[in-house]
Amino acid sequence: MIHVLKQGLETSIQDWPGRQGFWNKGFPPSGPVDSWSFRMANLLVGNAAGDAGLEAQFMGPTLRFDRDAVIALAGADMKATLDAKQVPMWQSIPVRAGQVLAMGAARTGARGYLAVAGGLANDQKLGSRATFHKAGVGGMNGHALKAGQDVPVGDAQGTVGMKVPETARPAFSTDRSWQIEVCAGPNDDWIDAAGHDRFLTSDWKLSPKSDRTGYRLEGPEWTFAPKATDKPPEHGSLPANIIDHGYPMGAINLAGQTPIILMNDGPSMGGFINPYTVPSVAFWKLAQAKPGEILRFKLIEIETAQRMAAELTALCTPATLVSA
């Protein structure tokens, strides 16, 4: 067991790729937003890449280990300490029974990840251990960690002394801005040429009103193609309204004039257009962006996004690791 002394701002159990096959019933995939860091942390301790671990947002938890373990930290640097001594990121280290791991505020990035050899062993719900807060599914009693809880851990010896080389780690922004890849569609034909140019050349600020459901963006107004205004009444009154249809994960959902990137816990359908979609391979950047930081979007082809995802999956293997 791991005993939760302090819960952090929002620390949740996630697995990768999350809860599959239930979106049509209202249950999104959930899972880690930065799957690159998450997978690497798991591989470091000898787990499968998708085993359940912790995602800590902005401020990490304080945890006491009730038995010997092997752990690894990846993602945002939360200046973690083990019995008040700083511990390294991106490598596997031993923990003794009774030791206390304290994760602080994120210094770089926004979400930190903790993997434990054996993986977290909370109950599976609909085929996944991932937390979906808004429905109370998965995680610990359906929600993020709370002080006083005991988190079960699977049995495993683990591997100590492994490291992710710097060339295989995500490179976090140093100037509070991020370039995010997007693919056109599914409703890009509802936006006129000026609107597309404005979206792809403007700075978009990440709003504090953002969470694992959706990232709200602040920026210029959109302009629309004729089909957005000259349309049958069942499509709704606003130019961004459309008859209810399915939303892809990562869709940039245009709610009136407010673009909202639909994240891991986002809805599966609705009545707004989606001019662009952020591919899964770019989600790690969204995970590590903080409110107030700038997002700039780069248009790529779907085939390019698929190639990038395949390259990342090939990188997230034990063969990438080196001895510390």
Side-chain angles (χ1 to χ4, degrees):
M1 293 287 183
I2 299 173
H3 184 69
V4 183
L5 298 174
K6 296 181 180 179
Q7 61 205 38
L9 184 60
E10 183 182 289
T11 305
S12 62
I13 297 174
Q14 302 294 342
D15 58 17
W16 181 82
R19 187 166 285 106
Q20 301 294 301
F22 295 93
W23 218 0
N24 63 332
K25 296 177 175 62
F27 298 97
S30 300
V33 188
D34 177 359
S35 70
W36 185 347
S37 297
F38 184 88
R39 284 182 276 177
M40 285 303 196
N42 264 322
L43 295 173
L44 282 168
V45 300
N47 291 345
D51 283 353
L54 291 182
E55 176 181 89
Q57 176 179 272
F58 303 132
M59 174 74 72
T62 300
L63 309 169
R64 186 184 70 233
F65 289 79
D66 292 339
R67 72 176 193 193
D68 293 354
V70 177
I71 66 169
L73 296 163
D77 184 359
M78 294 182 166
K79 298 298 179 184
T81 60
L82 189 62
D83 285 351
K85 295 182 179 179
Q86 191 164 334
V87 296
M89 298 276 298
W90 301 100
Q91 70 181 68
S92 54
I93 62 170
V95 176
R96 301 303 176 197
Q99 287 193 296
V100 173
L101 178 74
M103 299 169 67
R107 304 293 180 90
T108 58
R111 287 175 173 81
Y113 295 90
L114 170 66
V116 184
L120 304 184
N122 59 311
D123 292 338
Q124 288 193 355
K125 299 294 184 182
L126 301 177
S128 172
R129 305 185 198 277
T131 308
F132 176 35
H133 307 268
K134 294 190 176 180
V137 173
M140 294 297 293
N141 300 320
H143 299 286
L145 299 191
K146 297 180 181 179
Q149 288 181 323
D150 291 313
V151 181
V153 179
D155 290 324
Q157 183 176 356
T159 55
V160 175
M162 301 305 294
K163 183 178 181 179
V164 179
E166 290 193 17
T167 54
R169 305 175 192 175
F172 293 177
S173 169
T174 57
D175 64 356
R176 295 179 57 82
S177 68
W178 300 82
Q179 179 177 275
I180 309 294
E181 291 82 6
V182 292
C183 298
N187 308 121
D188 49 303
D189 55 342
W190 287 58
I191 303 298
D192 64 11
H196 285 299
D197 182 69
R198 191 175 299 110
F199 172 72
L200 294 170
T201 59
S202 296
D203 289 352
W204 296 89
K205 183 183 291 186
L206 180 59
S207 168
K209 297 179 181 179
S210 300
D211 60 14
R212 286 176 49 92
T213 298
Y215 273 24
R216 298 173 69 94
L217 306 180
E218 300 172 357
E221 290 199 346
W222 294 71
T223 52
F224 298 88
K227 71 179 302 179
T229 52
D230 182 16
K231 59 187 178 183
E234 60 265 26
H235 281 292
S237 59
L238 296 175
N241 287 148
I242 192 172
I243 194 167
D244 281 9
H245 64 148
Y247 291 160
M249 185 169 160
I252 299 183
N253 187 241
L254 192 52
Q257 282 287 351
T258 302
I260 303 173
I261 306 175
L262 302 183
M263 302 297 291
N264 298 52
D265 292 349
S268 61
M269 66 177 296
F272 291 110
I273 63 171
N274 304 284
Y276 293 91
T277 299
V278 178
S280 61
V281 72
F283 262 53
W284 72 265
K285 301 178 188 179
L286 299 177
Q288 301 303 344
K290 294 178 179 177
E293 295 187 343
I294 298 299
L295 307 186
R296 301 185 181 101
F297 294 97
K298 177 185 178 182
L299 182 63
I300 63 171
E301 297 296 325
I302 292 175
E303 293 77 12
T304 302
Q306 292 171 331
R307 175 181 54 78
M308 292 170 62
E311 290 171 352
L312 180 56
T313 296
L315 185 69
C316 292
T317 62
T320 299
L321 306 181
V322 298
S323 297

